[in-house]
Amino acid sequence: MAVTAPLSVDAARAEVERAVAAARGAANVRCAFWQSHNGCSTATPDLPHTHLSGERELVEELRAVRFRISPNSFFQVNTRAADELGGVLERLVLEISARAQVTLVDVCCGAGAWGLCLARTVRSVIGVEMCADAVQDARRNAEENGVTNATFVCGKAEDVLDKVLRNVHGSECIAIVDPPRAGLHVSVLKALRACEKLRHVIYVSCNPMSFVEDAEKLCYAPSKSYRGEPFRPMRAIPVDLFPDTSHCELVVHMVRMPLAQPSVPVAASA
């Protein structure tokens, strides 16, 4: 998806074609879309887009699950490395779900990647996503892969997560949060803290600075703003999702613990 300041379709096509031609030697460009954005902030997924060339949707595979991805849906940029990241998440969830029938809440779920990959390891999956196109993709991907224990809610996480968590059935709940670089909205953090059934949070972070800010709020002692027992980071696992850059995806497993229980040092896994 190429995002530009307002241009005519012809001018946008010319710009994108030049970019595609320049990238052909280093990348397999399968499709090109153009989105016009009149502003300084990041373009929002509900802006209209124009198909310029190639396929109209991508098909990728993670953990033996096939995904159809429309232009506005979020999906990990490095599919091969994301498959390794999915393996890390699967091992963590299996350790938890082996002890109880759990519900997995996939926050910022995009096209359903993590929830659908992990559906076979838990009782049920609830995905939360603000982009309507991504939710439509997630529901279609669940149907085409024969996943019957996953549902998806369209809405901003800060608006719907509290209700989703209150309606969770079962003895225990796991949340996977995979937010954008800005991190989680404060209302999402408060909802995670307040849900007593939620004993585990698996945080997938692409920005260590916003993760630290969010982790502080999840680990605060209880207060009027942050109800519920705090979480404690138990394990941190880096995944090199962006080779040849300084960036690294970080998976942190956080467990809710009574305040009287002593803290356990974080274990870093290779």
Side-chain angles (χ1 to χ4, degrees):
M1 176 80 77
V3 181
T4 73
L7 295 170
S8 69
V9 173
D10 289 340
R13 180 176 282 109
E15 290 294 328
V16 171
E17 286 177 352
R18 279 195 287 270
V20 168
R24 282 198 195 279
N28 179 20
V29 180
R30 292 155 56 184
C31 62
F33 287 83
W34 166 60
Q35 191 176 66
S36 176
H37 178 51
N38 186 17
C40 299
S41 60
T42 303
T44 56
D46 56 349
L47 288 174
H49 56 270
T50 302
H51 176 248
L52 298 180
S53 64
E55 303 168 20
R56 291 188 174 272
E57 63 181 11
L58 295 177
V59 178
E60 300 284 354
E61 184 171 309
L62 289 178
R63 313 301 296 171
V65 179
R66 284 171 56 85
F67 294 91
R68 294 184 184 272
I69 310 154
S70 60
N72 282 333
S73 291
F74 172 79
F75 201 78
Q76 300 291 342
V77 296
N78 185 337
T79 305
R80 185 175 298 179
D83 194 80
E84 295 296 323
L85 175 56
V88 170
L89 298 177
E90 184 173 340
R91 288 191 292 275
L92 290 175
V93 171
L94 279 171
E95 290 178 8
I96 301 165
S97 61
R99 299 191 297 268
Q101 287 291 310
V102 300
T103 295
L104 173 65
V105 180
D106 187 4
V107 184
C108 308
C109 70
W114 302 139
L116 295 181
C117 286
L118 299 170
R120 60 181 176 270
T121 68
V122 296
R123 174 182 179 181
S124 60
V125 172
I126 304 173
V128 176
E129 170 60 46
M130 66 176 288
C131 175
D133 285 354
V135 171
Q136 183 175 345
D137 285 347
R139 290 169 178 164
R140 179 178 58 172
N141 290 329
E143 181 178 358
E144 292 186 356
N145 284 279
V147 177
T148 59
N149 63 336
T151 58
F152 297 92
V153 178
C154 185
K156 292 183 177 180
E158 57 267 30
D159 295 336
V160 302
L161 185 60
D162 182 67
K163 182 178 179 180
V164 167
L165 290 173
R166 281 190 279 110
N167 291 334
V168 163
H169 300 289
S171 59
E172 196 165 319
C173 179
I174 309 169
I176 288 183
V177 296
D178 189 359
R181 291 190 62 79
L184 294 171
H185 191 280
V186 64
S187 296
V188 175
L189 294 165
K190 290 180 178 180
L192 295 174
R193 278 289 299 263
C195 178
E196 293 182 359
K197 289 183 178 179
L198 181 62
R199 310 305 299 176
H200 302 264
V201 170
I202 300 174
Y203 195 120
V204 182
S205 171
C206 60
N207 182 357
M209 300 303 294
S210 60
F211 164 71
V212 169
E213 293 177 3
D214 288 351
E216 286 179 346
K217 297 177 178 65
L218 290 171
C219 298
Y220 279 153
S223 66
K224 291 182 179 179
S225 297
Y226 293 93
R227 297 181 293 112
E229 293 175 335
F231 290 87
R232 293 289 181 266
M234 302 297 291
R235 194 180 316 178
I237 306 169
V239 179
D240 189 7
L241 203 67
F242 315 102
D244 300 320
T245 75
S246 60
H247 300 285
C248 186
E249 204 86 350
L250 182 65
V251 179
V252 181
H253 178 201
M254 311 180 79
V255 180
R256 195 189 295 270
M257 289 186 171
L259 288 176
Q261 188 164 336
S263 299
V264 178
V266 175
S269 301

